[in-house]
Amino acid sequence: LRTHCRPGGRLGGAGMRRTDAQQGFSSAAADADVIVVGCGLAGLSAALAAAQRRARVVLFDSSSDLFATNDVTDRLYFNAVDPERQGDLGITDSPELFYRQTRAAGGGRADPALVKILCYQAYIALKWLEGFGVGFENKVRQIPGGVYPRTCVASGYRAGRLAMMNAALDAGVTVLQGLTFRELVLDAQGRVTGVSAEDADGRPRRCSPRAALRPMRRSAQGTTGALARYSTCAGDAPRGSASGQR
């Protein structure tokens, strides 16, 4: 298990240094308010948002070396009402139209308040990502299966991800690598009370922070979380031993 934390240099480029510390999951996460799973853009966004609200955050990922192997080749598709990109193509759009179409695409089953946040704040989130160096094309697309041309596409966003990783470390986030997410730990009422993971040697790890966030893969817009009451970390306990776990 490798841990990255401050103090130390910045990460991931020529002349950059990193601080590594070998320590157990229990030690790293014992005082965590929030555990975030996955060091993609969604996970980094969630970790940064929590840290900026003064939460003690632990972010973990299954990669054995996040900073040496994060040449991301996948494209990022981000839906937003973008006056500049859409305006240049003569496309008329609005957050309200985005909201109505998104609600309709989901058959009206999604929480209207959450859909409104997604659609009305998407442009702010897009600009926030661009501020970290995530580069998007100077146009929008209507991707297959999409209902309107408002998809911004980014590719080769390694520099932006590194900038976000550095910002997370600067904000006090502890990054653990070599941990594979297994499941959310639930109590008898179905509430999330912790995170179950497995290290590279197959040993189970579990921690119960105040909140556990497992972002949707490749989606900086789709980060969701479940709040839970704080309990003592049980990082070395076998999986399935927590009272009320199902």
Side-chain angles (χ1 to χ4, degrees):
L1 182 68
R2 179 175 291 170
T3 305
H4 298 268
C5 53
R6 295 297 189 206
R10 301 187 70 75
L11 309 174
M16 295 180 182
R17 299 179 292 111
R18 67 170 180 245
T19 299
D20 297 336
Q22 298 297 327
Q23 62 184 47
F25 182 59
S26 299
S27 176
D31 296 322
D33 295 311
V34 176
I35 298 278
V36 179
V37 181
C39 285
L41 293 186
L44 288 167
S45 298
L48 272 167
Q52 288 168 354
R53 288 162 176 77
R54 300 187 178 181
R56 292 166 295 187
V57 183
V58 170
L59 172 65
F60 74 79
D61 194 274
S62 59
S63 173
S64 60
D65 197 340
L66 286 168
F67 303 103
T69 62
N70 63 351
D71 269 316
V72 179
T73 57
D74 291 337
R75 287 184 173 181
L76 171 67
Y77 297 92
F78 196 102
N79 291 320
V81 176
D82 187 325
E84 293 88 1
R85 289 178 173 88
Q86 290 176 307
D88 289 345
L89 298 174
I91 298 169
T92 301
D93 200 1
S94 71
E96 183 60 26
L97 177 61
F98 187 11
Y99 168 76
R100 293 200 306 268
Q101 290 175 334
T102 302
R103 288 271 291 151
R109 294 184 297 273
D111 185 329
L114 294 179
V115 176
K116 185 152 285 190
I117 290 171
L118 171 74
C119 298
Y120 275 78
Q121 297 187 13
Y123 181 69
I124 297 172
L126 176 68
K127 290 301 181 183
W128 186 75
L129 288 173
E130 287 181 323
F132 286 102
V134 179
F136 290 88
E137 296 176 345
N138 292 323
K139 61 181 180 180
V140 294
R141 304 185 188 189
Q142 183 171 345
I143 60 175
V147 297
Y148 206 76
R150 64 169 65 93
T151 302
C152 304
V153 182
S155 60
Y157 47 85
R158 178 177 183 269
R161 186 179 177 212
L162 283 171
M164 292 180 72
M165 190 78 78
N166 279 313
L169 292 173
D170 286 338
V173 174
T174 297
V175 180
L176 304 175
Q177 57 188 35
L179 282 170
T180 301
F181 172 83
R182 291 305 179 201
E183 61 185 356
L184 295 174
V185 179
L186 307 178
D187 66 12
Q189 287 73 47
R191 295 172 300 188
V192 177
T193 59
V195 176
S196 176
E198 193 173 272
D199 66 20
D201 297 322
R203 291 175 297 189
R205 308 289 182 184
R206 189 175 67 247
C207 189
S208 297
R210 289 194 178 95
L213 305 179
R214 188 184 181 215
M216 296 171 61
R217 191 168 185 267
R218 300 176 188 164
S219 173
Q221 285 173 289
T223 300
T224 60
L227 295 178
R229 288 184 306 172
Y230 180 81
S231 62
T232 304
C233 180
D236 296 321
R239 282 177 293 173
S241 66
S243 175
Q245 181 181 346
R246 2 178 242 187

